[in-house]
Amino acid sequence: MLKALDITTATNGHSTTALLLGSGELGKEVAIELMRLGIKVIACDRYAGAPAMQVASAHAVLDMKDKNALRELISKVQPDVVIPEIEAIATDVLLELEKEQGLRVVPSAKAANITMNREAIRTLAANTLNLPTSPFFFASSAEEIHENIDKVGFPCIMKPIMSSSGKGQSTLRSESDIEESWNKACNEGRGHENRVIVEGFVKFDREITLLTVQAADGIHFCEPIGHHQVNGDYHESWQPEPLEEDVLLECKRIASTVVKALGGFGIFGVELFIAGRNVIFSELSPRPHDTGMVTLISQDLSEFALHVRALLGLPIGRIAFRGPSASAAILGQGEGSSISYRNLDKALSMGNDCALRIFGKPDIKGERRLGVALARANSVTEAVEQAKAVRDAVRIEIKSEIESIKEA
Ligand SMILES: Nc1ncnc2c1ncn2[C@@H]1O[C@H](COP(=O)(O)OP(=O)(O)O)[C@@H](O)[C@H]1O
Ligand SMILES: [Mg+2]
């Protein structure tokens, strides 16, 4: 059992230090929650100026998939706790250091290692834990896919075993789609090897994230979060998604089974499909979930605050829910390194309980999530409408470096 961490702030000497591996928008909120408790945060990412670095005590720029670089950084920083905030990390280094030196990894090195790989987490859930999932198989060549496709039938979904946010994912309608999907998965996946999971298409009515906190005082659940995905990327989420009592119980059973198997303290975003009264396990994040940003307005302790409390070995107590709420991702499109957000006054007058987070991403190339609109209202429908209205009212202007220098 992990002990609660004592927190020391020292002028000359070692302050309690968290090494945040991944400095995106979710990491930024985690960093803020850590700093609120007096913890020194070193934020890492592959580029400078990342959102969490802007609020951290110090930062490091490195390729976190590089084993030597990661090992070196950990030995230099001597963190009290390492908090992975993305999947693309050399998690084998974390496994080794946890074992050799008792390095404290959130929620556990095993959880970070297994969940970064669809093959490992799906095998654990379906084969070891016997949880209901879509039919699936793994393959390392287009040939192997042709040979096994009857196991799942059409339509089906192909995904690289290592990828996130829908990257490299495609839906196949017939045999003739196999080559194209295979090439897409190979090009957009993040692993060294070309390997995919092919899953039978689940005709779900709804999909939810069940935020599940494993903490010193046991397992806690947030209200279920419903969400809408476009091409494997989240656009809106809302809370609570109403579920029949037996369906909710089944969701909780699945979530606690997988979370206990992974071990460690922290929050997990358990993704489930609901088809009629059936609940199907899809995947999970051993950390705050993007659809869970709605908790920034819906709960007294957001998913980020809950994560930090849990990972420090502190009790959660009661999670107070404030009422029907929604989030809408603010997506930017274009190329440039000066991004302006306008019309915010109009945006924030779309309802009485609206809020915005602007992530402060330093630049954009293509489509990028730049912020999130939040709303709380009398019903989920109203909250979703308001969050979308806030999002749609924000005007984003992107300028290239040359354009902004000319103007200055
Ligand atoms: N087997 C499936 N059947 C139907 N829809 C799916 C299936 N797998 C994934 N999806 C859709 O694609 C989205 C992204 O897939 P997911 O496995 O969660 O990948 P990622 O790690 O990129 O989030 C899901 O939220 C869901 O909307
Ligand atoms: Mg997902």
Side-chain angles (χ1 to χ4, degrees), residues 42 48 58 135 137 199 204 221 253 299 306 337 340 362 373 388 407:
I42 317 288
F137 67 87
E199 289 185 42
F204 55 79
F221 300 99
R253 178 190 75 83
Q299 300 182 168
L306 291 169
S337 53
S340 304
K388 282 179 168 179
E407 272 174 25

Side-chain angles (χ1 to χ4, degrees), residues 21 26-27 30 83-89 91 106-107 111-113 115-116 164 190 209 211-212 266-270 284-290 303-304 307:
L21 300 178
L26 305 183
V30 170
I83 311 175
E85 274 307 310
I86 56 165
E87 283 176 2
I89 294 172
T91 52
V106 175
N113 183 253
T115 55
M116 75 179 289
S164 49
R190 109 169 84 74
T209 303
L211 292 175
T212 305
I267 200 165
F268 299 72
V270 183
L284 87 161
S285 64
R287 61 183 71 96
H289 196 271
D290 53 5
E303 61 169 346
F304 310 100
H307 192 45

